[in-house]
Amino acid sequence: MGNQTNELPVRRVVIVGGGTAGWMTAALLAKAFGPRLSIRLVESDEIGIVGVGEATIPQIRHVGRFLGIAEDELLRASRGTIKLAVQFNDWRRIGDSYVHAFSDVGLPLGLAAFQHYWLRSRREDPRAPDLWAYSICARACAANRFAPMENVGGSPLTGIRYAYHFDAARFGRLLRRNAEGNGVVRTEGKVVDVALRGDDGFIESIRLHSGEVIPGDLFVDCSGFRGLLIEGALKTGYESWQHWLPCDSAVVAPSEHGGTIRPYTQASAQQAGWQWRIPLQHLASNGHVYCSRFVSDDEAAATLVRNMEGPALAAPRQLRFHTGIRNKVWNRNCVALGLASGFIEPLESTSIHLMQSAAGRLLTMFPDRGFDPALVDEYNRQTRAEYEQTRDFIILHYKATERDDTPFWRRCATMDVPEGLARRIGLFRRTGHVFREGEELFTLMGWLQVFIGQGIVPERHHPLADALPKAQLDEFLANIRTLVDRAVAAMPTHAEYIDRHFKAAD
Ligand SMILES: Cc1cc2nc3c(=O)[nH]c(=O)nc-3n(C[C@H](O)[C@H](O)[C@H](O)COP(=O)(O)OP(=O)(O)OC[C@H]3O[C@@H](n4cnc5c(N)ncnc54)[C@H](O)[C@@H]3O)c2cc1C
């Protein structure tokens, strides 16, 4: 053992930015550290927030639990609804539709994964039920039903896994109340200057338009795409992923509901991008994500409005973005979180999760004032791995298309993809195997559904799936379908569930 002592502890944390990233980081840090940290958050009303972010993935449920916000309260306050899946329309071909649902699909039998039994059934009879007949979330989506359920009673089947749709601005206000309740001090004002220490270039303080100077030990850059500290002051650099994820624009607007409040997000492919529909309690959020090289802003806005299910409630709002990642998301004493750290487009609603995960990592690896380079490197390595795995999953949706009706889709179908993704596609196509890399975000079931949904059909299946007599295979599969359908039939509709549990008064 050496005789080193710890460096001085970090006492003053300064967060720049009050979007979802800023308030989530503030709330999580304040809850974890309590009065041991003094946390200041600076945000500028004049600049405002992106505030789109209405769809999430199941890990979001940990945030409420950690902060002590009950689920019904969270969903009432944020006008939330339940999300069981994303429905992808027209991605593989026009007219085609599949879902990426959050629950498990089927059951393993012995050593072979479920898909091998299902693949055998389809090979023997192409009209055999599709993969989604074995997914409780997919079946609940088809019936517009929902009930929380860990397991399917009296069976080994796992139950529902779900996430939320919510109004990001209202969710942000909830986080803010929670953070302020735990001692976070908010300052409204615009940061106009960042002072660096002469000897090592660490951030010493920020200066506001009012003249106030705020010093800190650790600075968290949640200032959005501009990356005021990480890029503006520290010139960290940005790695572009636009050659793989070419969409660079979005146009968004809320509308009235078309009727049913679906328990899933819809993502419908368009000429040069895709459009989302996200059901909230009081309205539907719509956004058209597109590549500005292939479609004009006016055309994109017209498509957005044409595909709304009800009348628009506001004029379309335009956003530009650049997919990629900061060269280092942690540089010196500055950690970038949210849009300041990078952006993978919203197709699988991963941004809020990536910031939640990064904030959790910051808690786990919280530094002292020595900012040990080994710690910083490890944080950067883990964050980058998570971003790259998420990126590859999204690229798969674009790459594995049979569409050739527009230059955009032809480009996607013929583009090169990262080596790891090419390997995975090859393995699945030839053998039906899907493996998860380390602690990656997306589950085997997620990969499986997108592979199959996008039309990648394996050439073979596991030999053990052939060992089962045909009658036993049919019985095994039929039993799962019956259990899934019975469980779904017993659920209330999504609308009934909302009414009973978290319907907002206005
Ligand atoms: C088209 C689109 C769709 C999306 N959909 C989803 C989705 O469905 N699900 C999901 O999880 N995520 C989604 N996202 C991502 C999500 O919107 C963001 O992750 C989220 O809004 C967090 O943003 P942020 O807090 O990093 O930045 P912002 O919301 O941009 O906030 C930046 C903050 O920094 C402050 N600031 C900036 N400069 C200064 C300054 N000089 N002085 C003081 N304050 C300053 C601003 O006032 C603001 O408070 C989407 C993003 C886009 C672009």
Side-chain angles (χ1 to χ4, degrees):
M1 294 280 284
N3 57 359
Q4 294 266 312
T5 51
N6 270 354
E7 297 266 354
L8 290 171
V10 163
R11 292 267 185 239
R12 301 163 304 173
V13 176
V14 179
I15 299 173
V16 176
T20 319
W23 282 115
M24 186 179 290
T25 310
L28 294 176
L29 285 180
K31 175 76 181 178
F33 283 92
R36 276 185 304 255
L37 278 187
S38 130
I39 305 176
R40 295 276 304 262
L41 184 145
V42 180
E43 65 176 319
S44 158
D45 289 343
E46 182 194 319
I47 294 174
I49 61 171
V50 165
V52 184
E54 285 102 346
T56 60
I57 59 174
Q59 287 81 347
I60 188 72
R61 299 182 58 217
H62 299 307
V63 173
R65 278 193 214 126
F66 184 77
L67 296 177
I69 307 173
E71 181 162 285
D72 287 356
E73 182 195 339
L74 189 154
L75 289 170
R76 187 175 296 109
S78 61
R79 306 294 185 267
T81 66
I82 298 295
K83 175 179 170 187
L84 300 175
V86 183
Q87 180 190 60
F88 293 97
N89 303 312
D90 303 330
W91 280 81
R92 176 186 178 186
R93 299 183 197 129
I94 292 176
D96 206 76
S97 180
Y98 72 94
V99 297
H100 166 198
F102 295 135
S103 55
D104 288 342
V105 180
L107 270 179
L109 185 62
L111 288 176
F114 175 76
Q115 75 263 22
H116 298 287
Y117 295 95
W118 173 77
L119 284 166
R120 176 183 156 196
S121 77
R122 290 283 274 202
R123 195 147 292 140
E124 290 173 355
D125 176 5
R127 289 158 311 156
D130 69 20
L131 188 66
W132 292 274
Y134 304 91
S135 156
I136 190 163
C137 279
R139 299 296 293 158
C141 285
N144 278 314
R145 291 180 183 275
F146 170 73
M149 178 189 283
E150 291 284 312
N151 291 295
V152 177
S155 88
L157 291 184
T158 51
I160 290 276
R161 273 189 95 213
Y162 63 99
Y164 311 140
H165 301 121
F166 52 50
D167 176 328
R170 288 178 196 267
F171 178 64
R173 289 202 283 277
L174 192 64
L175 292 175
R176 175 178 163 185
R177 273 204 300 281
N178 189 280
E180 290 182 321
N182 284 323
V184 173
V185 175
R186 169 186 185 263
T187 304
E188 203 290 313
K190 194 167 166 184
V191 178
V192 291
D193 196 23
V194 182
L196 304 183
R197 272 193 327 229
D199 49 348
D200 56 10
F202 277 44
I203 299 177
E204 196 164 55
S205 61
I206 55 173
R207 186 162 56 81
L208 307 189
H209 187 64
S210 62
E212 187 185 357
V213 171
I214 304 179
D217 305 319
L218 171 68
F219 290 80
V220 187
D221 187 349
C222 297
S223 65
F225 289 126
R226 54 179 65 74
L228 195 71
L229 309 182
I230 195 86
E231 199 58 56
L234 297 181
K235 311 276 182 266
T236 305
Y238 195 76
E239 179 177 316
S240 170
W241 289 340
Q242 239 172 21
H243 45 295
W244 290 314
L245 294 170
C247 290
D248 59 3
S249 306
V251 57
V252 302
S255 70
E256 283 180 20
H257 276 301
T260 314
I261 302 188
R262 301 179 182 94
Y264 53 94
T265 302
Q266 289 175 294
S268 302
Q270 305 296 336
Q271 300 266 303
W274 60 279
Q275 177 153 348
W276 79 71
R277 272 193 208 136
I278 295 176
L280 304 181
Q281 288 183 30
H282 56 312
L283 52 79
S285 149
N286 307 277
H288 180 188
V289 174
Y290 60 97
C291 177
S292 63
R293 275 193 294 133
F294 292 96
V295 63
S296 74
D297 294 345
D298 287 350
E299 278 174 89
T303 302
L304 174 81
V305 174
R306 198 170 52 243
N307 287 323
M308 288 176 176
E309 286 186 305
L313 294 172
R317 177 163 67 103
Q318 192 87 45
L319 295 152
R320 298 272 182 231
F321 56 80
H322 192 136
T323 49
I325 185 171
R326 227 33 92 197
N327 287 342
K328 290 177 184 173
V329 290
W330 184 340
N331 189 2
R332 300 185 186 131
N333 60 341
C334 173
V335 178
L337 252 133
L339 299 174
S341 64
F343 186 57
I344 304 171
E345 62 136 283
L347 186 58
E348 286 276 2
S349 334
T350 41
S351 267
I352 292 176
H353 173 73
L354 289 172
M355 74 180 67
Q356 166 189 342
S357 170
R361 191 172 302 121
L362 179 59
L363 282 180
T364 311
M365 299 186 165
F366 203 76
D368 56 33
R369 274 189 254 172
F371 291 95
D372 196 307
L375 185 74
V376 174
D377 287 350
E378 180 59 20
Y379 181 96
N380 284 327
R381 194 190 64 75
Q382 289 187 17
T383 308
R384 174 173 272 273
E386 187 172 47
Y387 267 73
E388 288 180 353
Q389 286 156 357
T390 307
R391 173 199 71 192
D392 287 1
F393 188 58
I394 310 291
I395 296 172
L396 173 63
H397 300 65
Y398 285 97
K399 170 71 183 171
T401 183
E402 293 164 21
R403 283 186 66 156
D404 60 1
D405 53 305
T406 65
F408 175 82
W409 289 109
R410 287 196 289 277
R411 184 199 174 278
C412 290
T414 53
M415 72 180 165
D416 286 334
V417 296
E419 192 272 327
L421 176 59
R423 190 167 32 81
R424 277 176 183 238
I425 294 176
L427 180 69
F428 186 72
R429 198 189 294 283
R430 287 196 293 282
T431 67
H433 283 294
V434 194
F435 294 103
R436 200 168 175 188
E437 308 241 316
E439 294 179 15
E440 81 171 291
L441 179 57
F442 287 101
T443 61
L444 296 181
M445 299 297 163
W447 282 93
L448 176 65
Q449 292 171 78
V450 176
F451 276 140
I452 296 290
Q454 295 285 148
I456 301 179
V457 180
E459 290 158 16
R460 347 186 155 76
H461 51 258
H462 198 297
L464 278 178
D466 289 325
L468 206 61
K470 167 98 174 90
Q472 251 173 287
L473 175 71
D474 289 347
E475 192 187 342
F476 168 65
L477 294 175
N479 277 346
I480 298 177
R481 293 197 303 273
T482 307
L483 288 168
V484 164
D485 284 348
R486 258 196 227 138
V488 171
M491 293 175 187
T493 66
H494 182 215
E496 284 164 351
Y497 190 86
I498 295 172
D499 280 347
R500 253 180 251 163
H501 292 272
F502 48 82
K503 178 86 180 160
D506 54 18

